DNA sequence: TTGAAAGCGCTAACAC
DNA sequence: GTGTTAGCGCTTTCAA
């Protein structure tokens, strides 16, 4: 009832629906639906009338009704630790770009590194029936979490969606996930080799949460490189803890004050490296003259440090884009049993200015 | 039909719905709904049976059906220029936090600074019936864009949602928007005063897209401060263009090479300041000894530059949080006519290390 | 405390 | 080309 007003500028009290448009255009709502979706032939004349009505009424389709009727949501979900950490925000940017390019909206949520929260968020995305849910970043070796994750992967597969692990290890062969990853161990091995080739022997490994898959792999690559040359990795030269700048700064400071006699630092990521660099600079330690420094990830800021950081390039934004592409490419077998689809993106050493051969005598606090 | 399997581990071919749960639990779907929402009394026994069934079947409610039936989406939308720019990502973080804290999911999209795209995105959010749509960052003085924006504000108000302009000027008194802003002009005036108080006269204004409201206001504050002291602002000392680091670096470089005889630089934001700092450092210009430098926004990175940047602090994350709070607090009058709700967050000068009195003779390229 | 039934706004056969 | 008519999966009166 009620449609004899033309007060186009006043907010309607009753949300305008498709049948309002239909009525005004003098057609059925099916026709309105057809001109909206443009997937069925509609006479140009009718099309015009309908569009006119849509315009007049200021109609905007209800995405939920649409999703319900067509079971197509045109959305993807992404879960990250922290939205301001460049590692994550570049990946989110890639995801948003690709989602947007394929007409999808992007639901993003931050887990703050909390496993339970993460699972809860996945469940909310399942509720949303997103075309994909992308979980980003390393995880902990926790059987219970893996199992719960695997369950979600199955649920998602069951509703025709996909769980993609972006920069996170598999949660089991059985789980129907897709993976977009890169070789952390290999990259770490490569930078370490680089340091060793320059003549470094006493290298400090700094940063990365203990037990986080990403940390674990990077540390493993570091160790393997050292050991393959017969060099020791004394416990006092391995300091883990976190992936942030603050950690790098604080820990590097303490270590420096303890006269470690190191000639190089392998920071677990660029943020840690930036923090460490600060600590060194503040103490008059010159990089790379006194101590060499390498990072990991190659976030754009790294080439803006002084000196520019030598690091391992990880194509963050691409990973985001690939994650949604992979998820949307439906190639799994009929029973959805077989976990298919895995992309390993390339990584490479980026040599800039923070590495040089070691000094004849290691830097020490006093002098 | 069909429910005599217990293969809990295999993805169901038919999405499990509420009536599946109801059937399994031997109750009506209304009851299932009631235990799910916990807003009606349900016998503990029934509750248990239902929960058991939910567990067994791995049921996850369909958010779209829910939204359609209850017209409550529990979501907010946010539109920013760029997800990796700290200015935006901190605001997004604030929005996500508050949304999450109130049980809402966050739909984020990037406009890439394109006005039409931005409008299109707002329309998509309207389709989603989000509880609020938050548009972040300066806008251009474009009557057509303003009008379209105002229309969207009305549409949103009409469906019980809210358009909030975060860090963007009003689109007209008539439009039912809410605003979370800060005083750009005043902040710019204040930093400029600070520079002047140190003795600077020839100050370069650097960066900010021409015509963007934020830029316009900052430049206006700069001008007003200079003029209030009777100082000139010669055109060759105003270089606008963009808000990025690259712009700051490139432009500062060129200017320096042209022997501008300046003693200080007012960068339109911290990113521009960081770029300018690089350019100066690369040319052996010492900050603040040779040239002083100030920025705007106080993104966390600014206190990690060398020297630490003197800048204007803007509570980015708070603004994000306040945006959703304000939107969710329904306080408008019955007819939704009156645009209500505006928060102006406080801003303050943060003195760090990048400002000093000018040298007796300005720095010049030769020396 | 629980069930029946009427929608929510749209899509997708199926007819004409 | 266009209209009719079932649903999509849930919430919410209204009765019982």
């Amino acid at each position: 009832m009620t449609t004899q007003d033309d007060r186009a500028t006043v907010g309607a009290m009753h949300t305008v629906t498709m049948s309002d448009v239909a009525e005004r255009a003098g057609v059925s709502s099916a026709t309105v639906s057809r001109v909206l979706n443009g997937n069925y032939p509609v006479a140009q004349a009718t099309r015009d009338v309908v569009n006119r009505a849509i315009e007049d009424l200021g109609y905007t389709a209800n995405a939920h009704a649409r999703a319900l009727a067509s079971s197509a949501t045109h959305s993807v979900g992404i879960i990250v630790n922290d939205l301001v950490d460049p590692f994550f925000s570049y990946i989110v940017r890639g995801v948003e770009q690709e989602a947007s390019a394929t007409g999808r909206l992007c639901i993003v949520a931050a887990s703050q590194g909390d496993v339970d929260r993460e699972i809860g968020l996945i469940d909310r995305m399942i509720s949303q029936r997103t075309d994909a849910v992308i979980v980003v970043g390393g995880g902990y070796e926790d059987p219970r979490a893996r199992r719960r994750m695997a369950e979600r992967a199955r649920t998602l597969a069951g509703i025709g969606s996909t769980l993609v692990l972006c920069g996170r290890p598999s949660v089991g062969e059985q789980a129907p996930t897709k993976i977009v990853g890169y070789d952390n161990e290999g990259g770490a091995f490569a930078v370490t080799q680089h340091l060793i080739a320059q003549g470094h022997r006493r290298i400090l490994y700094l940063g990365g949460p203990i037990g986080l898959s990403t940390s674990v792999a990077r540390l493993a690559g570091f160790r393997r490189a050292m050991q393959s040359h017969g060099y020791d990795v004394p416990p006092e030269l391995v300091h883990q803890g976190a992936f942030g700048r603050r950690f790098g700064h604080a820990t590097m400071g303490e270590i420096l004050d303890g006269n470690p006699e190191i000639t190089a630092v392998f920071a677990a990521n660029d943020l840690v490296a930036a923090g460490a660099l600060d600590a060194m600079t503040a103490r008059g330690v010159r990089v790379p003259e006194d101590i060499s420094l390498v990072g990991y990830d190659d976030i754009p800021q790294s080439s803006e440090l002084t000196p520019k950081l030598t690091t391992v390039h990880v194509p963050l934004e691409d990973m985001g884009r690939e994650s949604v592409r992979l998820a949307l490419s439906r190639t799994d077998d009929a029973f959805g049993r077989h976990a298919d689809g895995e992309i390993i993106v390339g990584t490479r050493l980026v040599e800039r200015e923070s590495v040089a051969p070691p000094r004849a005598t290691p830097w020490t606090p006093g002098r």
Side-chain angles (χ1 to χ4, degrees), chain A:
Chain A
M1 69 282 291
T2 166
T3 312
Q4 51 187 47
D5 57 27
D6 278 286
R7 43 181 187 129
T9 50
V10 177
M13 292 297 87
H14 145 80
T15 304
V16 18
T17 73
M18 198 164 207
S19 57
D20 294 331
V21 175
E23 188 178 332
R24 172 130 182 169
V27 299
S28 75
S29 64
T31 299
V32 177
S33 171
R34 292 195 264 253
V35 347
L36 241 40
N37 297 298
N39 46 1
Y40 279 89
V42 175
Q44 185 57 48
T46 344
R47 195 184 298 283
D48 292 342
V49 190
V50 171
N51 282 323
R52 186 71 213 293
I54 288 176
E55 190 77 6
D56 292 350
L57 264 30
Y59 169 72
T60 309
N62 182 319
H64 301 291
R66 250 220 264 250
L68 187 54
S70 69
S71 53
T73 63
H74 300 295
S75 65
V76 307
I78 174 170
I79 300 170
V80 299
N81 266 356
D82 178 6
L83 283 161
V84 306
D85 181 325
F87 178 87
F88 295 106
S89 57
Y90 276 95
I91 291 179
V92 171
R93 185 204 244 178
V95 167
E96 198 276 339
Q97 260 174 31
E98 187 66 21
S100 184
T102 59
R104 267 162 260 258
L105 241 26
C106 197
I107 300 180
V108 354
S111 67
Q112 291 151 209
D114 178 327
V115 184
D116 292 324
R117 213 175 132 60
E118 187 174 79
I119 294 288
L121 289 171
I122 296 179
D123 286 342
R124 297 213 51 186
M125 306 272 178
I126 293 177
S127 261
Q128 297 292 330
R129 304 292 191 265
T130 54
D131 295 331
V133 5
I134 301 167
V135 178
V136 185
Y140 291 91
E141 195 49 64
D142 172 354
R144 179 169 145 70
R146 273 171 69 110
R147 208 174 315 117
R148 296 208 290 166
M149 210 61 153
E151 271 167 25
R152 302 315 187 273
R154 275 180 224 109
T155 303
L156 281 164
I159 61 175
S161 181
T162 309
L163 178 65
V164 4
L165 303 172
C166 179
R168 162 167 317 195
S170 165
V171 292
E173 286 307 310
Q174 299 305 326
T177 61
K178 297 203 179 185
I179 294 186
V180 173
Y182 56 96
D183 184 6
N184 269 310
E185 206 269 354
F189 182 84
V191 235
T192 310
Q193 282 274 31
H194 177 62
L195 250 19
I196 291 173
Q198 298 289 312
H200 295 279
R201 304 290 177 265
R202 276 190 61 89
I203 307 175
L204 169 70
Y205 181 89
L206 183 68
I210 296 176
L212 187 77
S213 62
T214 310
S215 299
V216 172
R218 292 180 184 179
L219 179 52
F222 170 71
R223 286 214 148 94
R224 180 162 65 87
M226 293 296 277
Q227 281 158 6
S228 74
H229 285 266
Y231 303 143
D232 219 30
V233 179
E236 73 271 19
L237 290 192
V238 174
H239 288 254
Q240 298 186 80
F243 263 148
R245 178 162 188 147
R246 187 160 327 195
F247 176 85
H249 186 98
T251 311
M252 187 75 230
E254 290 169 16
I255 292 172
L256 246 23
D257 294 342
N259 186 17
E261 300 210 338
I262 55 174
T263 65
V265 176
F266 179 154
N269 75 0
D270 292 350
L271 252 25
V272 171
L277 177 58
D278 267 1
M280 295 200 262
T281 304
R283 282 168 182 72
V285 178
R286 293 163 307 162
V287 176
E289 294 80 357
D290 297 326
I291 294 181
S292 287
L293 173 68
V294 298
Y296 211 116
D297 289 343
D298 192 25
I299 56 176
Q301 291 90 306
S302 300
S303 55
E304 295 161 347
L305 295 175
T306 309
K308 300 191 199 324
L309 190 67
T310 288
T311 184
V312 177
H313 180 77
V314 179
L316 270 5
E317 217 168 307
D318 285 345
M319 288 176 65
R321 274 192 292 260
E322 288 304 336
S323 292
V324 356
R325 280 202 200 108
L326 185 59
L328 298 178
S329 69
R330 328 237 82 264
T331 50
D332 18 35
D333 66 338
F335 292 136
R337 277 285 183 69
H338 177 68
D340 212 334
E342 168 157 0
I343 292 178
I344 301 299
V345 302
T347 248
R348 68 171 195 284
L349 176 64
V350 183
E351 292 184 46
R352 288 202 271 248
E353 312 166 344
S354 64
V355 172
R359 292 174 25 148
T361 66
W363 176 90
T364 61
R367 193 68 282 281

